[in-house]
Structures are given as structure tokens and as C-alpha cells.
Amino acid sequence: MMASNEDHPHGDETVGGAEREIKRGITVMKKVIRDRDRGVLIKVHWNEGGQLIEPNGSTLTSFIGALVRNEVPITCDNWRNKQLNEAKDKIWSEIKRCFDIEENRRDHCLKLAGKLLRGFRTFLSTTFLRDTEGTFVDAELPSKYASLISPKEWETFKSKRKTQEFKSVSETNRQRASSPAYPYRKGRVGYGRLEQSILTKENSSETSLPAHVLWKEARVGKDGKIKEDVQQIFEKCETLSQSIVPYEDTDCRSILSRALDVPEYSGRVRGKGFGITQKSLNIKKQKTPSNKELQQTLEALKAEVLELRKERERDRAAGFKDTSDKDSINCNFQPTIPEGISPCHLYLARPTYRMVGKGKVHNNLGELLHTKPLPTGSLKVSVDIALEKDALLPHPDDVSDATLLGDAIGSFVAWPTDLIIVGYETPTKSKAKDKGIAREIESVASQKEIPVAKKTEISKRTGAKKKNPSKYRACLHTYLETTDISDGCVRLIPMDGAIFGFEYAEPLGKEDFDQILYHTQLSVGVINTYMRYLYDKLMGPRGLEQRFSFLNPMKTNLTEMIRKPDEVRTYVVERFMADTDREKLFFLPFNTGDGGHWLLVAINPFKEIVYYLDSLHKDWTTYPAMKTIVDTIIQTVRAQRKIQVPKRKANNITWNRVECPRQRNNIDCGYYTLRFMKETLLMDRTDIPSDYFDEYRCAYYSKDQLDEIKEELCQFIIELQVL
């Protein structure tokens, strides 16, 4: 079997390029034929989207190109012509004789064969039937292809290309292909194998790349440079991918399609290459219902509502009948709670009396929970917000297997009546069994968290389910719509003196909340709020405040270092000198000033080591003023601790540049900085390896990893009850 190297010829190839191809000659695929004759089938591989990848993906592609050139004449203009069915069957039969391939791959291989045939015809026209200016040339049959093309086929092929109809179509396609806005620059590699090589190079555990990431990489030239317009589209995609709120999105177009903002045709999948369809990506197209369908739906809903009303009346009558004769029967109707559905606060009494969530109480006669009677002394509630997501439910839900409050968000559970407070007022005294504790005293105890180790144990024991990744953002979004935040008001986040060395309140306004909800560049207010979250949720419960501490980025950014270097030195030195008897790592989220880039500087003044983590993979020489002040501070602390060192070693302060995950746009730096701090605390290490922690090492953080930061922030803000 013979095969040409021109497996992916393009219509816009230069004549010179084509001539270089011709000099190679036709490739004889000896290995494939040899293996076939020995009865050895070559194994091919596919990615999760159904594209050919290595090993042997390019071999099969070349083999299909050779087959189609042998079996189908170049005069064939319509690949769907039924007269080609016999040739297609033969091509598929030959493929199966040589390759270990599943029957369901037939359509892909035959579509690829049609594409390669079209490419071959374009190659012949461009190379032999046009001169450098694109004018038709009446050329003889190339001797190289005499074994594949008969003289009669060649003459017919030429005659078709002389027609005015073909010239018109050809000229249109030539103009469209001559100056693409964002040209593909990876030759014959193809998107599937390009994606495979990137994932292999990055040693990534992912099985695929986002379409816009792959689209950008396909437009990187051999020099490794990216054109500015391509980078702009990529950054727009990154912004869209983070800012689109799932519960509000009604546009079924892909992120890349929205960023390019060009007309689309149905079924197209951009940035993934040949063989990828909406079906293979499980993209469900949204169909607009017709007026008739809407009317039918409306009538069905009316009938359902009417039936529910009748059923409620029957249940109500049955409830009155049951309770009129026997007071001992629990009808689960509480006269102290308004009849019907009311907003409420949900409380627990153990280990302390505290509010753990918000929702709606359903106080109706005959109310059932998942078709079963409610437990005595309880009412049916729907959980909207979990302020303490790991709180155990008073009555675990047997139907959904929910045992933690966080698992019950959006569903119905049974809740003890004396732990339900209707409305949004806060009670002054407990209604639980330990009534004697005043509410103002209990509020301190209510903030105590279950130790992290115990939480993990509870989660494992109860089989806690994975949470909806955007539920707290949705809750915060709903909360904010009912407040005066949009009118310019702010909320104050209390900052304990132990966090930054001084006590104050951090103001958060609409812009700060929007940064969390819609993924824009983070402000110092959001950064500081997350550091309080880390202090409350990780450092406090684990006793890490003895080994780690924070520096306030508002006092230590680049602008402050340049304008007020003495104040910066005084503040940091006081923080360092407060704990001189133990080794401690200080986190400094460093901002380049005026809302610029965020990076993390982690300082161990005891060992005089500075860890530099920049998600743009630059080094500290980019900010010489910052390095000078940090070095001066460490030397000042050394002098105050009366540590003697030789003059020649006075400047021997170790700076370690850490190969941390790298951001892929100009927005994520703040989120990366927050994750660096969190992961260091989780590892409980005051040293950061140069190649980062094995447990968290990756090329870049995924969308889910960044969303995790947002969810933690949203939940924490809700728990603080500052809204």
C-alpha cells in the first residue's frame, strides 16, 4: 500500500511549499503492510472527544489518505454520493484489516477520508493548475501520481476547474483563506494531538483542555510568540469563563464563540478541531418552545395546581377530623407559628444554642415529608442557607441520605418546632433546654467551630455529598439584592488585632462583592477578608497561629514602600519582633500598587529566608524597592535580636523563587495568592519547596479550584451576618 505525505494539504499552501512536498516522493507504508501480513493489528488511541491521538494516530491518518486516493477518483465532487458506498466499504474493510479499531469509529474514519480527498484535490489544483499569481495553467498529468490518476480522470479534473462556476467559488474561498483573522499555526499536528502533547508536557492529570486554551496554543508560532489580538481573545475568554454565573446563564454558545463574537452556524464547536461535535461534548442545544407547546405546558400546570388544591383541602379536612376527637394525636400544626409558609431561622441546641441556617417553615395540617408523617414535635422546613454547613441535622433525611445541614440546601427536612424562629429577628433567650444562658453570652460560644479533624471524621462517617459549587455565591447574590449595597453603602468586616497586629474594621462595598461574584481583579479588602477566613477557619482550630502570621497588604504594598518606607519598616519590624523566640512564617500578599498585580512574599525572619511566589513566574528583581525594604527589615530584626554575623555575610539573606502554579490571564493573580497561603497552611510547613508542594503541584489552577476560593469567601461573609 502506498501513501503520500500530503495527508493534510491546505488550499492556501504556497507553490514553493508544495514543491518541497513533491521532492519527498510517495511514502510506502511498509510497516503497516508488514504487520497486516503477519496478522498483527495496530492499536490506535482516541481522546475523550473521539479524536485520533498518538501513538499511531498519524499512522492511521496517513493510511486513510493513501486508501482514499487509491479507491476514489479525484473527479468525485460529492462525498455523499451513494455510488461511493462500495468504495467506502472497501476503505473501512482495509482499515479493519490493519488496525485494531471499534466498529463505532467507522463514521469518523470515513469523514476523515472525505476531508483528505478534498485536501488532495485542492493540493493538485494549487500546485499544478495555478501559477504564482493564481492563473489557471493547462498542465500535464504529474508523473508522480500516474499510478493513482488516469489520463482520462486528469483531463476531466482539469475541465471542471476551467468552468466559470468553479472559478467563482475558488476565488471566494481563496480570499477567505488568504487572510484569516487568527491563523492556525501548527501545520498538520491537528487539535487532538496538540492537546495531547500539551497535557503530556505539563504532566497534567486533566484529560482535556478548555476550547479557548487549545485555540490559543494552536496559534503560537515556532518562535513561541503570541500575537496581541490572539492574547486579547484568550483573556476575554478567561474573564467570561470565570464571570458567567451558571444559574443566570441562558446563552448556549461556547465561551470562545462569545469572545470572538462572529456569526455561528448550528452544530459548530470552535477550538477543538476535526471530529468534535456538540454530541461528543454533551452540549445540549436549547430549543425555544413553540406557542402551542407553551400553551400545553400552561394548561398542564393549571390542572396540576387545581389537583394540589383539592388534595390540600382533603388533607386539611382529614387533619381536623383526626384531631377533633383525640388531642394526643400529633397533627404537626403549631398555632404559635403562622399557618402556611413563612421565612425562618433554624437553630440547634447542642453543643451550644446557635443559629445554623435560614429557610422557610411549612406549617400546614396534614403536612408530609417525602410521603411520610413528620416526627412528633417537628415541622417541615426547606433549607435555603447553611451558616454552619457541617452541623448535624436533628432528623437525618432517609430519602436523600442527607445528614449534614450543608447537604440539605434546597431540600426539605424535619426540624424541631422549638428550634424554629419565624421571621428575621434574633431571640434574646434560648428556647432550648439549656434556657438559662443569655443570648449575648451564647453568641461567643456559638462561634466556636467543631475541630477540623472531627469535621473530617464526621463527613467520612456520614458520607457527605459533594456540594453544589456555586450555591453560596447564589445565596450571597440573592442577599445583596435585598440590601442597600447597590446604593453605595458598605459593610464592615471586624478584624481582630491578632490577625494584622492592630484592630480595625475592613469595609466591603458593591465593587468588592462584584469581584467575588463575577471574577474580576481582587481588591485589598477582599484579600484581607479571606485572610481573616484563614485565621478563623484554619489557623485558630489547628493552633497554627504559633507558626504562621499575616502582614497587612494595605500597609505594605509597593506604593507605600516607595512613599512611606519608614512606616512600612516600623510596622513589619514590630510584627517580627513580637515573636522572636520561635520560628514563624509571615505571609505578605504583595501588590504592585494602584490595583496592580498580586503575588505572595512569605518571610521567615528567624532563618532569614524569603519565599517568592509569583503566578506570572517573574522574580523579585522586577520590584527592587520591595526587595530592598524586605532585606533592610530582616537586617534590622537581626540587629535587634543581637545576632552577630560577619560584614561580608550581612547581605546573605536567602531568596527562593518558587515554581508555583501559573496564571493564564491578567485577572487570577489575587486568587492564586490566596490559594498559595491556604495550601501552605494546610501543609503546616514553614518552608516552601522550590518546586512547590507535591500535593498541590500543577501547571495552573482549574476553574473549580478558583471557584473554591469564591465559595469560601461567600459562605464566610454570610456566616458573619454583616449583611
Side-chain angles (χ1 to χ4, degrees):
M1 181 62 63
M2 313 285 281
S4 169
N5 278 340
E6 297 93 15
D7 290 319
H8 300 281
H10 301 287
D12 57 349
E13 288 188 67
T14 64
V15 174
E19 289 174 349
R20 286 194 295 272
E21 290 287 328
I22 296 170
K23 291 177 183 178
R24 296 183 190 171
I26 298 177
T27 302
V28 179
M29 304 190 72
K30 295 180 180 179
K31 182 180 183 304
V32 176
I33 305 305
R34 189 185 305 116
D35 287 345
R36 183 196 66 185
D37 294 341
R38 290 187 301 163
V40 177
L41 296 179
I42 300 174
K43 179 68 176 177
V44 290
H45 298 80
W46 311 78
N47 63 16
E48 66 175 14
Q51 294 173 303
L52 277 168
I53 56 175
E54 303 301 344
N56 302 322
S58 56
T59 301
L60 176 56
T61 301
S62 296
F63 185 73
I64 292 174
L67 283 175
V68 75
R69 287 190 278 275
N70 273 280
E71 302 299 333
V72 182
I74 60 173
T75 54
C76 170
D77 295 325
N78 183 6
W79 183 249
R80 295 185 178 88
N81 193 325
K82 293 183 179 180
Q83 295 179 1
L84 294 178
N85 287 347
E86 184 177 347
K88 291 179 181 179
D89 289 341
K90 186 172 182 180
I91 290 172
W92 178 241
S93 176
E94 284 297 317
I95 292 173
K96 294 195 67 175
R97 286 182 64 197
C98 300
F99 292 86
D100 181 8
I101 191 169
E102 300 86 352
E103 189 66 32
N104 61 0
R105 304 294 184 181
R106 175 188 167 104
D107 286 347
H108 178 93
C109 291
L110 293 182
K111 286 179 182 178
L112 179 57
K115 177 188 175 186
L116 295 174
L117 180 62
R118 292 191 298 274
F120 182 52
R121 292 203 308 267
T122 301
F123 169 75
L124 292 174
S125 297
T126 305
T127 308
F128 301 105
L129 301 182
R130 290 186 184 277
D131 59 19
T132 55
E133 297 179 356
T135 307
F136 180 82
V137 177
D138 189 7
E140 296 295 327
L141 171 64
S143 58
K144 174 182 177 180
Y145 297 106
S147 61
L148 300 176
I149 306 170
S150 69
K152 183 178 179 180
E153 287 175 4
W154 182 250
E155 292 302 321
T156 303
F157 181 71
K158 287 195 301 180
S159 65
K160 287 185 177 182
R161 270 134 185 84
K162 292 179 183 179
T163 63
Q164 189 60 39
E165 180 183 359
F166 176 83
K167 289 180 180 179
S168 176
V169 173
S170 177
E171 184 60 28
T172 301
N173 291 336
R174 175 189 294 274
Q175 291 178 359
R176 184 174 59 187
S178 61
S179 56
Y182 311 101
Y184 179 88
R185 305 183 67 183
K186 293 301 180 183
R188 299 171 182 166
V189 174
Y191 280 92
R193 294 196 287 274
L194 174 62
E195 181 179 57
Q196 181 188 24
S197 66
I198 294 171
L199 293 173
T200 301
K201 183 178 179 180
E202 294 182 350
N203 195 26
S204 174
S205 60
E206 301 288 338
T207 56
S208 66
L209 294 171
H212 63 279
V213 174
L214 194 56
W215 179 86
K216 185 195 78 169
E217 292 297 331
R219 282 147 185 84
V220 178
K222 292 182 179 179
D223 57 2
K225 295 181 179 179
I226 303 173
K227 290 187 176 181
E228 184 178 352
D229 55 351
V230 172
Q231 183 64 27
Q232 288 175 352
I233 293 294
F234 172 74
E235 291 176 356
K236 187 175 180 181
C237 288
E238 286 289 286
T239 302
L240 284 171
S241 68
Q242 300 292 347
S243 61
I244 292 174
V245 183
Y247 49 85
E248 293 181 344
D249 185 26
T250 58
D251 192 342
C252 61
R253 292 186 301 159
S254 69
I255 296 294
L256 180 57
S257 177
R258 298 185 212 194
L260 291 170
D261 194 23
V262 293
E264 290 285 25
Y265 57 80
S266 176
R268 179 165 191 168
V269 178
R270 284 189 177 271
K272 283 293 187 178
F274 177 79
I276 296 294
T277 63
Q278 290 185 337
K279 184 178 179 180
S280 66
L281 291 179
N282 295 320
I283 300 176
K284 298 181 179 179
K285 294 177 62 179
Q286 295 181 348
K287 180 182 176 183
T288 303
S290 64
N291 290 336
K292 183 178 179 181
E293 291 172 330
L294 288 173
Q295 188 62 32
Q296 290 174 345
T297 303
L298 182 60
E299 293 298 330
L301 287 173
K302 287 181 178 178
E304 186 177 348
V305 170
L306 182 60
E307 183 60 34
L308 287 172
R309 286 177 178 173
K310 291 179 179 179
E311 183 178 345
R312 180 177 177 182
E313 291 301 323
R314 289 195 297 268
D315 291 341
R316 185 185 296 274
F320 276 119
K321 183 177 180 180
D322 291 341
T323 57
S324 61
D325 297 329
K326 296 183 180 180
D327 294 335
S328 60
I329 297 177
N330 177 26
C331 64
N332 292 306
F333 180 86
Q334 297 297 327
T336 57
I337 294 179
E339 183 179 1
I341 303 175
S342 306
C344 66
H345 286 169
L346 304 176
Y347 285 75
L348 287 177
R350 297 283 185 257
T352 59
Y353 181 76
R354 67 208 186 279
M355 185 174 72
V356 294
K358 297 181 181 181
K360 296 180 182 65
V361 57
H362 297 246
N363 188 28
N364 298 308
L365 284 170
E367 190 77 62
L368 300 176
L369 179 64
H370 306 312
T371 71
K372 295 181 181 180
L374 287 159
T376 302
S378 297
L379 287 176
K380 177 180 176 180
V381 300
S382 57
V383 181
D384 296 331
I385 298 172
L387 302 180
E388 188 176 312
K389 62 181 180 179
D390 290 313
L392 292 171
L393 293 173
H395 301 288
D397 189 353
D398 296 333
V399 174
S400 63
D401 294 327
T403 56
L404 302 179
L405 185 60
D407 299 334
I409 293 177
S411 62
F412 294 97
V413 295
W415 206 273
T417 306
D418 61 346
L419 296 177
I420 298 173
I421 307 299
V422 175
Y424 294 107
E425 71 277 8
T426 303
T428 56
K429 288 191 177 183
S430 167
K431 290 189 177 184
K433 293 182 180 180
D434 40 357
K435 297 178 181 178
I437 306 176
R439 182 60 190 163
E440 54 269 20
I441 299 175
E442 294 167 349
S443 61
V444 177
S446 67
Q447 296 177 8
K448 294 182 179 179
E449 292 285 319
I450 300 174
V452 174
K454 187 175 180 180
K455 286 185 181 180
T456 306
E457 180 182 344
I458 292 173
S459 298
K460 290 180 178 180
R461 185 171 67 248
T462 56
K465 298 180 180 178
K466 186 178 180 180
K467 312 297 188 301
N468 182 348
S470 64
K471 65 182 181 183
Y472 288 108
R473 271 180 289 163
C475 291
L476 184 61
H477 183 271
T478 303
Y479 261 9
L480 293 175
E481 289 182 338
T482 64
T483 69
D484 54 4
I485 295 292
S486 58
D487 297 327
C489 295
V490 299
R491 294 297 184 267
L492 300 177
I493 307 297
M495 291 292 175
D496 187 271
I499 302 175
F500 295 123
F502 59 97
E503 188 174 332
Y504 76 107
E506 186 71 54
L508 293 184
K510 183 179 186 301
E511 291 184 359
D512 301 296
F513 291 116
D514 285 349
Q515 291 163 10
I516 306 171
L517 294 174
Y518 303 111
H519 197 85
T520 58
Q521 181 77 290
L522 293 184
S523 65
V524 67
V526 176
I527 297 288
N528 287 344
T529 301
Y530 191 78
M531 285 195 280
R532 180 185 159 176
Y533 164 80
L534 292 176
Y535 185 85
D536 287 2
K537 302 297 183 180
L538 281 182
M539 293 175 63
R542 297 188 176 189
L544 299 179
E545 65 269 26
Q546 303 298 319
R547 291 166 51 77
F548 300 91
S549 194
F550 298 112
L551 297 172
N552 191 304
M554 183 171 59
K555 286 181 165 290
T556 53
N557 60 54
L558 185 59
T559 303
E560 293 294 306
M561 288 181 175
I562 295 174
R563 294 177 182 174
K564 305 174 183 177
D566 292 338
E567 292 184 13
V568 174
R569 281 195 292 268
T570 300
Y571 166 65
V572 179
V573 168
E574 288 179 355
R575 290 288 285 159
F576 286 174
M577 289 302 296
D579 288 288
T580 58
D581 57 341
R582 67 171 69 91
E583 182 181 347
K584 200 171 191 179
L585 189 67
F586 288 82
F587 294 120
L588 167 57
F590 178 74
N591 190 274
T592 57
D594 300 323
H597 177 59
W598 286 103
L599 56 90
L600 180 64
V601 178
I603 308 170
N604 186 333
F606 190 89
K607 289 187 175 181
E608 300 187 355
I609 297 176
V610 182
Y611 300 98
Y612 185 88
L613 295 87
D614 187 349
S615 54
L616 290 180
H617 281 203
K618 298 180 181 180
D619 59 36
W620 52 82
T621 58
T622 310
Y623 311 105
M626 178 269 294
K627 183 179 186 301
T628 299
I629 284 190
V630 171
D631 285 347
T632 302
I633 289 170
I634 293 177
Q635 291 169 356
T636 302
V637 171
R638 178 198 298 161
Q640 292 190 15
R641 293 175 60 208
K642 298 181 180 180
I643 304 296
Q644 299 293 327
V645 296
K647 287 186 177 181
R648 65 179 183 278
K649 294 184 178 181
N651 295 323
N652 282 6
I653 298 170
T654 304
W655 282 71
N656 288 340
R657 179 177 173 274
V658 178
E659 290 293 329
C660 51
R662 183 170 188 169
Q663 70 184 83
R664 298 181 293 167
N665 57 27
N666 59 356
I667 294 173
D668 289 345
C669 55
Y671 297 95
Y672 274 62
T673 299
L674 298 181
R675 280 205 70 95
F676 296 156
M677 290 190 289
K678 176 184 175 181
E679 290 170 353
T680 305
L681 289 172
L682 289 172
M683 293 302 298
D684 190 11
R685 289 177 58 175
T686 55
D687 65 302
I688 304 177
S690 297
D691 54 355
Y692 206 55
F693 304 111
D694 291 341
E695 292 80 356
Y696 298 107
R697 189 180 301 144
C698 59
Y700 53 83
Y701 289 131
S702 66
K703 182 178 183 297
D704 288 342
Q705 288 173 304
L706 300 185
D707 283 347
E708 182 180 287
I709 300 293
K710 301 177 198 173
E711 285 294 284
E712 290 168 343
L713 272 165
C714 291
Q715 183 186 2
F716 185 58
I717 291 170
I718 292 171
E719 288 179 354
L720 291 176
Q721 301 184 42
V722 296
L723 299 175

